[in-house]
């Protein structure tokens, strides 16, 4: 049997199993049809974030941000570039801490923008402050082995 990777759909929250060899072939959620590894930044709510952080087998880098935060807004295009550069090996998502204040409490966010890298059910590393896409890519590559 081919090796599969468990991924939570970041749109509907449904668990999916995808053959590892097909991660680069734009797999879609079996329930809602959303792209699972699309190279785009997904907006999350706390429930979906907790499910993906706990159960996904692909690394997930999450941007904790707020619409009133200037550095957060300036960071958004760089975060999107990083998503394209890291796909299909890593997924990127963001959570609005103004709309989801429990997320900031749950993950002890002290300042924004803040980035948390999750892999295989645990927090791997954190990074704070606005950064260029290349810095985010280097951060993830330094924390996740090439064959994660």
């Amino acid at each position: 049997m081919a090796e599969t990777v468990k991924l939570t759909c970041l749109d509907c929250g449904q668990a999916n199993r995808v053959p590892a060899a097909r991660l680069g072939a734009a797999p879609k959620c079996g329930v809602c049809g959303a792209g699972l590894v699309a190279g785009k930044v997904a907006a999350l709510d706390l429930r979906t974030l907790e499910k993906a952080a706990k159960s996904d087998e692909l690394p997930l880098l999450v941007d904790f941000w707020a619409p009133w935060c200037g550095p957060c807004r300036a960071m958004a295009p760089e975060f999107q570039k990083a998503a394209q550069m890291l796909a299909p090996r890593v997924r990127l998502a963001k959570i609005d801490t103004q709309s989801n204040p429990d997320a900031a409490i749950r993950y002890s966010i002290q300042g924004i923008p803040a980035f948390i890298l999750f892999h295989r059910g645990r927090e791997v590393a954190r990074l704070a402050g606005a950064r260029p896409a290349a810095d985010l890519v280097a951060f993830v590559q330094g924390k996740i082995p090439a064959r994660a």
Side-chain angles (χ1 to χ4, degrees):
M1 187 159 147
E3 179 185 344
T4 61
V5 177
K6 184 177 179 185
L7 296 174
T8 301
C9 176
L10 300 179
D11 282 3
C12 73
Q14 179 64 38
N16 290 264
R17 286 228 172 256
V18 177
R22 299 211 17 98
L23 285 173
K28 296 187 184 297
C29 175
V31 173
C32 74
L36 294 172
V37 188
K40 297 188 304 186
V41 176
L44 302 179
D45 58 23
L46 180 57
R47 185 180 145 274
T48 305
L49 169 58
E50 287 179 327
K51 185 174 181 180
K54 180 181 175 186
S55 62
D56 280 12
E57 295 173 348
L58 203 61
L60 176 67
L61 180 63
V62 180
D63 176 12
F64 292 79
W65 73 288
W68 51 262
C69 170
C72 297
R73 288 193 318 271
M75 179 72 221
E78 293 299 308
F79 198 61
Q80 179 57 50
K81 285 181 200 171
Q84 293 167 346
M85 294 165 72
L86 289 166
R89 204 175 135 245
V90 179
R91 299 194 303 169
L92 276 70
K94 63 182 181 176
I95 188 161
D96 177 355
T97 57
Q98 180 175 315
S99 298
N100 298 281
D102 289 346
I105 295 166
R106 162 75 174 84
Y107 293 101
S108 302
I109 301 300
Q110 301 295 315
I112 53 175
F115 307 93
I116 299 180
L117 180 61
F118 297 96
H119 190 222
R120 298 192 187 273
R122 67 181 187 88
E123 180 180 321
V124 175
R126 288 181 180 231
L127 187 65
R131 306 187 180 263
D135 285 4
L136 292 172
V137 171
F139 166 72
V140 170
Q141 291 174 338
K143 302 296 180 187
I144 302 293
R147 286 266 151 212

